[in-house]
Every structure is written in structure tokens, then in C-alpha cells.
């Protein structure tokens, strides 16, 4: 699901109010999700027999997080879920739109599945709109304008995740 | 003004006040004073004119923060007194879609519900409203999943004679349903594989836009049943030269702007859509400044057929729906730009009202409406505080 | 239905923005419904055989209008209805709460019935809270905390009217 | 953390990506680089602890601008990082009422729907939630109209042993329904003519507050059926000396503040409510300055049994629900005021969290939450931007 950049300003105001940092909101995306000083959180995972560990970094509650390149909606990370899991009481959509985002740590491009979490009500905070390579609804596989809760038990959109589902063939 | 006085209500109220300290005002006159105010009717409900004034608009409030609460709000955007602006509203649940018939005096909303809020069986309903009373004339349970997305001007459309209503479906197989507005019955649901939306074409055809960069025209027979399908070859690349699905249709010609500022002209006047030509909205210099179209409902036309389009500077991949700082006005015959209107509070969507003195209505960056004179670009006023959350699409009234 | 005084401030801000009169909002009630210079609108009605005409005056779109002494909700006057009629597409509630308000023109106190208009959705503008002689829900006849659309076809509150239903015995 | 991995989902997704340009990351290692990120699970849903931390609260968001969209939002109000504050939410339609069981790990919401938004048959449903998964355990269609009003702390309540749930009804005849939480069945609906709300009393009694200024206690038998009714004589005048329906109950004693600052103490520890005494919250001087209690949810208590109440200066008829500029803290045993906490952004409602370092949570005039240390009145932070519209009642968590 999607909104639009300038809507951020309204939300950003309340963020500014919250953090008493009005006037510093140069980067709306960062401001929106409250990432004043973005902590680098390395996320390491056991790989399948590879000699090194796969790596990524960044703040999954920041709109600038690398996986969110084509996201448009409320970040589940702020809603009781995480960047790849849903808030309690919701369910994850089975069909969705995808983006291709570059992990700045390993330089690889990954296919990211923006599965929506469905049910309850809209989360309503940490609205993040990046829209890179987002397309109108005639390219439904790449469109975040469609309510992708359409295949779920509940058609009510709550928030959006960003899940690594594979490596992209090419940038 | 429709007076809906109910004697039953009055007697209920009268019963209610027995013993509450009420004196009928007609018994309490005083010679030195004016007589007391009379008891008033209870139960009166207002109604609206058969023909809406030119400055009225219908705001498609998608209510993105709370999708149960979407609505269509009828507003007089030229009215300077806030309390007089709002004329009424209709509810529109879960990103419901709206269109209207100028000839029939009817509004059409297709909306979705679960049996219990976000839980239970989900179902879609087409609702027909009377435009004067805003009362529901009929509700029709829908046979499939209607398209549920951010608002689109062509998620529904009427046939040229306004006897058929076309309704987009998506689940995620795409189709549209033909609804007969005379009999108020569903005619048929017709698949449009890989293609979405319902652009009215010719007398009884429907054109949809496809994932391969082409178009699909579905030709209907007199009753609205499928007669033929014709695909138009791709004319754009959905990855490298995508277009907006928001055409302006003038004299049967649909004008589709591309992300990068080209204008594709398609003939929608015949039975089947035909490609005519493309031209550029931007000069070479403007192209170098990355002036591009941008926004949600980024295009509309006035009664004279002039195009209004939101433009953004420094456009790049990812900014296409973010709106812009100017509206450009074009003569579609000469392909010349007539005027640039600077939009001080950012523009996300636009609409143009009817008549010889049209108003340009802008959904601004704060989700309020900025009103301009369309003829000279003069700012008139900001309209806010009408229960607006995300008024992403504005419709003309008739 | 009711809200609370300070909530007005938020709405009042947008009124101020609208009218470019930020800073003049001394009287929140007036500011809220946009009545900067209240036009006096004499409302005259044919009386039942009395020698003079009954009189009242004031701006029914202002929260200060005399009939609104115990109101709490959105004024139908701003919603497509009037002070004593409902917006199109709604219905007027059959049961309600009452107030006793003094008409400043004739000095008499009248019983005012605050019938809610029910259906569609909340009007959401011209929120007006006066609450004079409003009581908690144990005095339901005088309580605007209850959703008085409970007796209507639709239980959805839209806006509030203020209808003269009689003279009060005493002030 | 509950992992709800669904193999079906994964295979659906895998199917979806055939031909979309995906390489399984395990096949794409490169000796000079770290291995690629693995494919992640799809379908994971979080869950919450069985015991909520003391600083968590449950916000009753009545959503007055859009009543379809009410909810209960679970928040950590001590958390300084905005993205970590919201823990989850439950929907709550048309001014739904909320209560909870500390012993059972369950939440109870009674809410209302029409079949189609604002149209069609209206019905009420009691919904039982699991507090760890926020999933619906059971829905019960309600036999009558539940109370629909601005939020009340005692529109629902539990019996002392948490085996029975009492639910207020109003249509406009007043009653309450007894619900057995073991069998999850309705026991009985019992009329309370002229009296509303369900204050838990003794082991199995329910006290309601009446339009004549008295109380009605309904005594139940072991199974929750009506055993006896007893009325307590009026102790206040609903016109001239009204009380707020927001008592603080400590050690079985209910403390009801009056509009003018008197405190009525009622014994709720026995089978039947008994009047004990009244005392004054305000000194003679404060009374002359018209310092009065004021607000919506204007009272709460901490674990030590201290009373917190919102106070307004210059109070008069009509300002009783408008909130105030201070919170006064009282020792209910000594009837002494312990502290005045100045509230800079106005206070409409309040709540106090559990534990030895409780937080005072204020719904401020902008409908955000201001958080203070309850022990010393120190301001901690403002919590906003959590989809809050009208968060009029805050509940402690357990």
C-alpha cells in the first residue's frame, strides 16, 4: 500500500514534536521513523555451509533501511512486528508485490517480497514511501497501489514487511 | 427541501417529555412580550438539488489511516464560509470505488466489508445512491472481488449512453463486470487477462491497460455481453518507459502521460482502441531538469478540453507518485503549453470543475484542498477541516 | 455525543489556518465553527394567533448559539443539515437528551432536544462542547455521553441538532 | 517469539517467483565475499509475553472522528524509541467497551456492527482475546443492546474470583448481562431499572449508580443468577450535587468524587454496597477558587492505593468534563493531599501504571499522552503518533 511523500511532513511534525528536533528534518524518511542517530545493527545469520556469515546492516525502523527500496506503507517494525514478521493478531499476506534492492554490505541485489500484514486495523505510524521501480497497477507484480491483503483471511491492511526471498539475477 | 416530518417521532418525543417540565409554548404567551417560539418539527432531513452547482465537487476520501471509514464528501469549494461548504457524505468502506451518472442522477459506490470489521467473511457490494437524497436505492452483492487499490478514476465507468456500468475486479485475476443500469442487474463478468481498469471506448467497448505495455479492448453487444476482444500491440515498456494510468479523454481521444513526460494519444472513439501518436510535454531543457509528471490523480480536463497536469522538477525513479510543485495547462489540439500555475503547498492530486469559470482543486501536501481559478491561476482559498484524512481523488459534480 | 474542550484547540488550529486569523482564538467555541464576526440572523416564525412574531437571533453555525447550551458534538449546521434538520442521507434519532437554554431575545428558557442525526459516518467538523447541566450517564435524560442513535435504524452518530420542543417551567 | 512458518505459504511464494529472476541464495556463494543472505521465512507473526511489563498500558482509542475504527492499542509508555513503543492492537467498533482478566490472560471487548457499515441489521458481539497472541478465542452474539457511550472504566467488570464477567446494557432500558468465563456462555441478563454500570461488589454482587442519586446492588448466586436486589438510599442530588461515575476502588472501598470536590466513600467489600462517609478534596480557599475535579477518565490509583485525580481551577456548570491543569495525589487513609503535579499540556484523562515506580499517563489536550513519574511528578516524555485520535481511557496492563 502506498501514500505520498508530502504526507510525511504532517507525520514528521509530530515526530519533531516528539523528539524536540524540529528543523532537523532534512531527510523526511529518516525523520519519519524516528531514526535520529541510526544505530547500526549488524544482523548475522548462519549460512548453509558457507565459510563466512552473510551480512547486512542498518536500522529496520528507518525508512532508509536498504530492504525498503520499493516499500510504501506502515513499517511493521513500528507496529509490534519486525521487518520480516507481523504484529500479534495479524496474518501475513500470501501474495504481494516485489522489489529489487541492493544490500550495501555485500553489494548484491536481492529480491524483496513486501508481504503485508493483514487484520485488525491500520497500524498508522512509520509511514514509509520509497517507490523505486514501483509501477502502476497494470504491472501488479510491481505495484504497491493494490491492497495485497486480497488473498488473506482479512482484507484489512495493517503494515508492510520486507523479506529476502532470493538473489536477483542482475542489478 | 424535503421535509420528512414523522408524526410518530413527534408523539414519541411528546411522551418522553411528560413530567420533564415542559409547557407547550402556545399556552405561555405574554402580552408585553413576543409570543414564545413554537415547538418545531422533529425528523426533518435535507436534500440536494437535482443539478449540482458547478463549484461542487465529490471528494473520494480513501481514509488511509482507517480504511473502514472511507467516504465521498460533497463540498462547495468556492464557498468562503466553512459551515456552508459540506453538503453531505456517503460512506465507502475499505478503499471503495466511486463513479456517477450525469444523466441518471445516481452515484455508484462499490465497497467491501467483513462480517465483523476485520474478521469474518469478506464481501463486496455495489451501492446505487440517489444524488438528491443520498439514500441507497439498491445494493447488489458482487460475484467476485472488486478491485481494491488506491483510488482510480477508471476503476468504474459508464457506457456512452449511460445504460451500462463497468466495474473493475482483481483477485488477482483481472476482469470487469457489466452491470445494466436500467434493469439494475448484473449482465456478465468478463476476464481481462493481464489487463486492468475500464476506460470507456466507443459506444459499448471497454479498454484495459496491460502488463505488456499494450491495451485490450473488450467489445460488448447491445445487452452488454462479450462480443469480441482485441489487443493493441505494446506502445510502451513498463520497466523503462512506463505511463500513468490516468488519461485525460477529450473528444474520444485518451491522452496518457508517461513517467518521463511523453504524451501517448489513443483513439477511444471507435469500437476498438487505436494508437494515434505521441508527443512531448517537456522541452529539451525541461527534460534536462528532469521535469516530469507526478502525483496520484495527476491529470484532469476542463469543459473546453484543456489538460491540467501536475509536474515535478528533479524527478527520478521512485518519485513518480510523489506529486509536484506546478500544474501545467496544455491545449491538446495545438500541443502547446498555455500556462504554468505554481502550487505553493505542493500538489498530490488535482481536479478541474465544470463551466466557463472552472476551479482547479489541488490536494496539497497537508491533505487539504487548495483552490485556484483555472483560467488565470489565481489562488482562491484553502479548504480544510472537512473530516479529510487522505482526499486522494476529487470528482467533478454534475 | 461529546468530546472535550481542549480537543477544540486542534480543530481550531485548522480554522485559524483557514481564516488566516491565528492568534485571535480567544473564544474557542466561536473560533471552532468559524464565526469571526457573527452575523445576526433574526429568525421569525408565524405564531399561533399571537399578536407579535416569536423571535430569536444568532448564528446557528456558531457554538455560542443560544440553543447549544448543553450540546456536545458536531453541529449539523456545518454538515449539510441545519440547527434543526439532518444532512441528506441520515435520519434523525427518535430518542435523545435535553437541555434547558435561555433565549436572550425573549428572556425565556426553552427545552431543547438535541436529536442526533444518524447514519453514514461522523460529520467530523464544527465540534461544539457546552455541557451546561449535562450529567453522567446515570441521568440518561440529561447525558450527552450516550450514543443516542441507539433507537435509530443506524446506530452511527453523524451530527447533532438543537430543536425547540417547549418552554421550560422555570429557569 | 511464536513462529508461524507455513510451508504452504513458502511454496506459493516459490511458485510466484518462477521466472521473476530469482536465484536461490545458497547457490550463489562467492569465495571473496560473504555468502548471500539466506531466503527468509514468510508468515511469521509475533506474540506477546504472558505477563506484560509494568510500563505497558492499553489505550482505549474510541476514535470519535471515525467510530468504525476504534481500537485498543498496547503501548510501552516508558520506551523512548518510538518504533519500539507499539506492541499490537485489537479492533473495537462503534465505541466498543474493553476490560481484561489479570488471572486468565484474556481481554474482553464488546463491540457493535451493522451488516454493512452504517446500514443493515445492527448487532453486538462479545469478543474474547488471548493476551499473548491477540487472537480471537471466541465471539458471542449479544442478546440485547450493550451500553454504547464514551468509554467507561466500569461498563464491564469481573467478579472477585474472575469467573464471571458483567457487561452493561442500555437500550435505553438499563441492564447487565452475566457471562460465565469458565463455560464461556451467557448466564442471565438482569434489569437494573434507572441504574447503570457494573461496579464489582463483594464476591458476586454488582452495584449500579441510579438516576435518583442512590445505588442498586444486584446480588448473584454461585452460578451468576439473580439472587437479590438491594437499593441504597440517595446520597447525592443529580442536579445540584452530582458525582462522577469514576470511582477509585481501594481495599473494597469505592471513592466517588463529586463535581464540586466532595469524596463519597462507599463500602463495596460486602454483598451489598453501604455508604460510609464523605470528605472534601478541597480546602475552603480552594473551594472559593472553584478548584474542582474535571475530565473524562479523571481518576485512578497506584498499587499503594494512592488516589490520582485531575483538578481544574475556575470550575463551573458545564466544565465538569473539560479536564484540568493539575493532578492531585491523595492518601485515602489519612485523606491528606500528598502532592500536586502540574500538567503543562492540560489533562483530559489519566491512568497510573503498576509497580513500585508507577507512571502517571495523561491524555493531554492535543490527544497525545504525557508521561510523568507518579512518585515525584517529574515529566518523562510525550508519546504521540501511534494512530491516536481520541485516546480517552487508558488501562493498566497485567
Amino acid at each position: 500500500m502506498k501514500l505520498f511523500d508530502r504526507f510525511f511532513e504532517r507525520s514528521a511534525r509530530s515526530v519533531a514534536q516528539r523528539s524536540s528536533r524540529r528543523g532537523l528534518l532534512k531527510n523526511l524518511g529518516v525523520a519519519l521513523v524516528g531514526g535520529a542517530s541510526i544505530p547500526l545493527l549488524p544482523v548475522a545469520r548462519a549460512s548453509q555451509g558457507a565459510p563466512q556469515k552473510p551480512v547486512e546492516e542498518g536500522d529496520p525502523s528507518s525508512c532508509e533501511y536498504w530492504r525498503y527500496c520499493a516499500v510504501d506503507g506502515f513499517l511493521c517494525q513500528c507496529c509490534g512486528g519486525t521487518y520480516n514478521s507481523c504484529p500479534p493478531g495479524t496474518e501475513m499476506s500470501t501474495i504481494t508485490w516485489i522489489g529489487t534492492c541492493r544490500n550495501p554490505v555485500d553489494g548484491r541485489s536481492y529480491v524483496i517480497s513486501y508481504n503485508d500484514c493483514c487484520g485488525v486495523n491500520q497500524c498508522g505510524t512509520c509511514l514509509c514511501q520509497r517507490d523505486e521501480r514501483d509501477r502502476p497497477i497494470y504491472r501488479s507484480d510491481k505495484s504497491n497501489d493494490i491492497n495485497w491483503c486480497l488473498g488473506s483471511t482479512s482484507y484489512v491492511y495493517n503494515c508492510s514487511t520486507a523479506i529476502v526471498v532470493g538473489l536477483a539475477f542482475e542489478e | 427541501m424535503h421535509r420528512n416530518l414523522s408524526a410518530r417521532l413527534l408523539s414519541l418525543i411528546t411522551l418522553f417529555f411528560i413530567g420533564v417540565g415542559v409547557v407547550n409554548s402556545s399556552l405561555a404567551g405574554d402580552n408585553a412580550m413576543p409570543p414564545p417560539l413554537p415547538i418545531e418539527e422533529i425528523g426533518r432531513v435535507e436534500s440536494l438539488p437535482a443539478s449540482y452547482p458547478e463549484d461542487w465537487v465529490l471528494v473520494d476520501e480513501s481514509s488511509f489511516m482507517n480504511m473502514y471509514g472511507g467516504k465521498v464528501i460533497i463540498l462547495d469549494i468556492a464557498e468562503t464560509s466553512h459551515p456552508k461548504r459540506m453538503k453531505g457524505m456517503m460512506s465507502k468502506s475499505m478503499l471503495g470505488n466511486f463513479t456517477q451518472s450525469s444523466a441518471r442522477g445516481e452515484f455508484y459506490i462499490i465497497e467491501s466489508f467483513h462480517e465483523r470489521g476485520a474478521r469474518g467473511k469478506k464481501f463486496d457490494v455495489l451501492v446505487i445512491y440517489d444524488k438528491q437524497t443520498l439514500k441507497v436505492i439498491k445494493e447488489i452483492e458482487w460475484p467476485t472481488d472488486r478491485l481494491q487499490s488506491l483510488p482510480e478514476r477508471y476503476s468504474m465507468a459508464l457506457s456512452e449512453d449511460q445504460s451500462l456500468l463497468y466495474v473493475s475486479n482483481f483477485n488477482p485475476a483481472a476482469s470487469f463486470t457489466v452491470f445494466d443500469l436500467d434493469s439494475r442487474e448484473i449482465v456478465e463478468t468478463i476476464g481481462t487477462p493481464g489487463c486492468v481498469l475500464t476506460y470507456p471506448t466507443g459506444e459499448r467497448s471497454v479498454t484495459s491497460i496491460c502488463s505488456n505495455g499494450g491495451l485490450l479492448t473488450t467489445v460488448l453487444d447491445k445487452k452488454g455481453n462479450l462480443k469480441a476482444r482485441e489487443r493493441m500491440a505494446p506502445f510502451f515498456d513498463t520497466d523503462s518507459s512506463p505511463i500513468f494510468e490516468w488519461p485525460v479523454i477529450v473528444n474520444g481521444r485518451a491522452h496518457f502521460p508517461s513517467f518521463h513526460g511523453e504524451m501517448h494519444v489513443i483513439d477511444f472513439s471507435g469500437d476498438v482502441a487505436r494508437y494515434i501518436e505521441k508527443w512531448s510535454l517537456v522541452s529539451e531543457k525541461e527534460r534536462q531538469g528532469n521535469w516530469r509528471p507526478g502525483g496520484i490523480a495527476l491529470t484532469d480536463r476542463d469543459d473546453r478540453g484543456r489538460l491540467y497536469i501536475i509536474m515535478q522538477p528533479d524527478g527520478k525513479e521512485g518519485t513518480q507518485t510523489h506529486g509536484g510543485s506546478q500544474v501545467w495547462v496544455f491545449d491538446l489540439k495545438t500541443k502547446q503549453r498555455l500556462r504554468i500555475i505554481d502550487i505553493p503547498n505542493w500538489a498530490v492530486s488535482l481536479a478541474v470543475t465544470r463551466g466557463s469559470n472552472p476551479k482547479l482543486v489541488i490536494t496539497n501536501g497537508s491533505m487539504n484542498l487548495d483552490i485556484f481559478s483555472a483560467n488565470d491561476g489565481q489562488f482562491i482559498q484553502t479548504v480544510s477541516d472537512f473530516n479529510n484524512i487522505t482526499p486522494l481523488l476529487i470528482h467533478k459534480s454534475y
Side-chain angles (χ1 to χ4, degrees), chain A, chain B:
Chain A
M1 301 303 299
K2 116 183 306 181
L3 269 179
F4 27 82
D5 216 35
R6 293 289 156 149
F7 185 62
F8 286 2
E9 286 197 3
R10 252 198 340 191
S11 299
R13 257 179 234 131
S14 59
V15 175
Q17 197 174 10
R18 190 169 68 229
S19 60
S20 299
R21 295 179 67 258
R22 198 188 299 267
L24 293 180
L25 307 178
K26 296 254 169 63
N27 186 318
L28 284 175
V30 171
L32 224 212
V33 293
S37 56
I38 303 174
L40 296 181
L41 303 173
V43 180
R45 288 192 183 72
S47 65
Q48 295 147 298
Q52 295 171 272
K53 287 180 178 176
V55 284
E56 61 177 327
E57 57 188 36
D59 176 4
S61 66
S62 162
C63 189
E64 302 242 295
Y65 184 51
W66 71 275
R67 295 180 179 214
Y68 297 148
C69 74
V71 88
D72 200 342
F74 307 117
L75 299 179
C76 292
Q77 184 79 29
C78 302
C79 308
T82 71
Y83 61 97
N84 68 2
S85 67
C86 286
T90 68
E91 58 175 322
M92 195 176 282
S93 66
T94 51
I95 50 176
T96 183
W97 84 99
I98 58 161
T100 304
C101 305
R102 190 177 161 277
N103 176 4
V105 179
D106 68 8
R108 293 187 181 96
S109 289
Y110 291 87
V111 177
I112 307 293
S113 178
Y114 297 104
N115 295 69
D116 287 340
C117 299
C118 307
V120 188
N121 206 318
Q122 285 70 68
C123 162
T125 193
C126 290
L127 184 62
C128 172
Q129 183 186 35
R130 295 267 297 272
D131 285 344
E132 288 163 34
R133 283 175 290 277
D134 172 53
R135 290 296 173 260
I137 63 173
Y138 55 77
R139 272 299 303 271
S140 57
D141 58 320
K142 291 192 171 184
S143 181
N144 58 31
D145 281 355
I146 291 166
N147 179 4
W148 284 110
C149 288
L150 67 84
S152 303
T153 312
S154 178
Y155 282 54
V156 171
Y157 169 73
N158 188 295
C159 63
S160 297
T161 64
I163 300 178
V164 169
V165 294
L167 270 176
F169 273 122
E170 54 188 322
E171 174 63 312
Chain B
M1 208 161 278
H2 179 71
R3 292 188 168 235
N4 184 15
L5 170 63
S6 158
R8 191 176 64 85
L9 295 197
L10 255 184
S11 58
L12 263 173
I13 292 287
T14 309
L15 268 172
F16 185 73
F17 284 117
I18 288 175
V20 185
V22 179
V23 183
N24 186 300
S25 59
S26 65
L27 306 175
D30 179 324
N31 285 339
M33 287 167 67
L37 299 171
I39 292 178
E40 294 171 355
E41 294 175 23
I42 290 181
R44 283 180 54 221
V45 179
E46 301 295 324
S47 60
L48 299 173
S51 232
Y52 287 6
E54 289 170 354
D55 287 331
W56 289 20
V57 299
L58 296 118
V59 179
D60 187 324
E61 170 52 69
S62 45
S63 190
F64 192 77
M65 302 296 278
N66 192 331
M67 291 177 194
Y68 305 126
K71 46 201 169 283
V72 175
I73 305 166
I74 304 170
L75 278 188
D76 181 348
I77 49 84
E79 172 63 54
T80 54
S81 166
H82 172 71
K84 294 179 185 163
R85 284 181 185 142
M86 196 186 290
K87 304 302 178 186
M89 56 170 70
M90 291 166 282
S91 63
K92 190 175 75 65
S93 177
M94 290 173 67
L95 301 172
N97 295 322
F98 169 87
T99 197
Q100 59 186 320
S101 164
S102 57
R104 291 177 175 269
E106 291 174 351
F107 297 136
Y108 311 103
I109 289 174
I110 188 154
E111 56 182 346
S112 304
F113 301 100
H114 283 280
E115 283 178 336
R116 292 172 184 178
R119 307 184 305 272
K121 183 173 162 285
K122 176 259 186 186
F123 57 98
D124 297 328
V125 188
L126 174 68
V127 190
I128 305 175
Y129 283 90
D130 179 283
K131 78 181 280 194
Q132 291 185 255
T133 62
L134 302 186
K135 283 186 180 171
V136 173
I137 296 172
K138 191 177 180 185
E139 294 180 301
I140 297 95
E141 283 208 42
W142 214 238
T144 183
D145 288 299
R146 56 102 185 174
L147 173 67
Q148 202 183 112
S149 69
L150 286 195
E152 296 281 356
R153 229 185 258 288
Y154 291 99
S155 57
M156 293 201 280
L158 294 167
S159 63
E160 193 177 40
D161 65 358
Q162 302 199 13
S163 73
L164 299 177
L165 175 72
Y166 314 131
V167 180
S168 299
N169 306 312
F170 187 85
N171 76 348
S175 64
F176 68 92
T177 297
V178 182
F179 183 81
D180 186 317
L181 291 171
D182 291 326
S183 67
R184 292 185 178 142
E185 303 286 346
I186 289 172
V187 179
E188 188 180 358
T189 294
I190 301 170
T192 54
C195 309
V196 295
L197 298 177
T198 54
Y199 304 110
T201 303
E203 288 183 11
R204 260 172 165 50
S205 299
V206 177
T207 298
S208 306
I209 186 168
C210 305
S211 59
N212 69 347
L215 299 175
L216 166 68
T217 303
T218 306
V219 186
L220 306 176
D221 66 16
K222 266 218 155 170
K223 294 191 165 173
N225 290 108
L226 174 65
K227 186 168 142 191
R229 282 192 179 100
E230 190 145 342
R231 285 188 182 266
M232 198 181 86
F235 62 97
F236 69 97
D237 185 302
T238 58
D239 283 321
S240 64
S241 59
I243 67 171
F244 293 95
E245 76 279 29
W246 296 86
V248 154
I249 305 176
V250 177
N251 295 328
R253 288 183 167 208
H255 302 258
F256 287 90
S258 81
F259 282 21
H260 301 104
E262 300 208 282
M263 186 60 99
H264 297 272
V265 187
I266 318 281
D267 183 2
F268 278 179
S269 68
D271 278 357
V272 173
R274 304 267 175 229
Y275 193 86
I276 298 176
E277 62 174 341
K278 69 175 175 182
W279 53 279
S280 182
L281 292 164
V282 290
S283 68
E284 189 47 46
K285 195 181 162 200
E286 289 156 351
R287 190 189 314 277
Q288 281 166 19
N290 285 308
W291 277 99
R292 296 179 179 185
I296 309 277
L298 76 168
T299 57
D300 201 6
R301 50 161 293 185
D302 62 20
D303 280 0
R304 285 203 263 175
R306 290 176 296 202
L307 165 75
Y308 297 73
I309 184 166
I310 300 172
M311 299 293 292
Q312 58 178 218
D314 305 320
K316 58 178 191 292
E317 178 57 51
T319 66
Q320 58 273 2
T321 53
H322 293 186
S325 58
Q326 296 187 345
V327 168
W328 291 4
V329 187
F330 284 88
D331 182 319
L332 290 170
K333 286 186 212 106
T334 64
K335 299 165 190 166
Q336 294 302 303
R337 187 172 61 201
L338 302 174
R339 192 177 307 114
I340 292 176
I341 302 176
D342 280 308
I343 308 294
N345 302 319
W346 199 253
V348 173
S349 291
L350 68 70
V352 183
T353 62
R354 286 181 303 122
S356 57
N357 183 20
K359 309 296 183 298
L360 171 63
V361 182
I362 296 285
T363 301
N364 72 22
S366 306
M367 295 292 103
N368 293 317
L369 304 183
D370 282 338
I371 315 300
F372 300 80
S373 164
N375 286 340
D376 63 11
Q378 196 79 32
F379 173 74
I380 298 174
Q381 65 174 344
T382 297
V383 173
S384 61
D385 190 19
F386 56 93
N387 210 347
N388 48 315
I389 309 294
T390 49
L392 294 180
L393 173 56
I394 316 287
H395 300 268
K396 301 174 206 284
S397 69
Y398 293 99

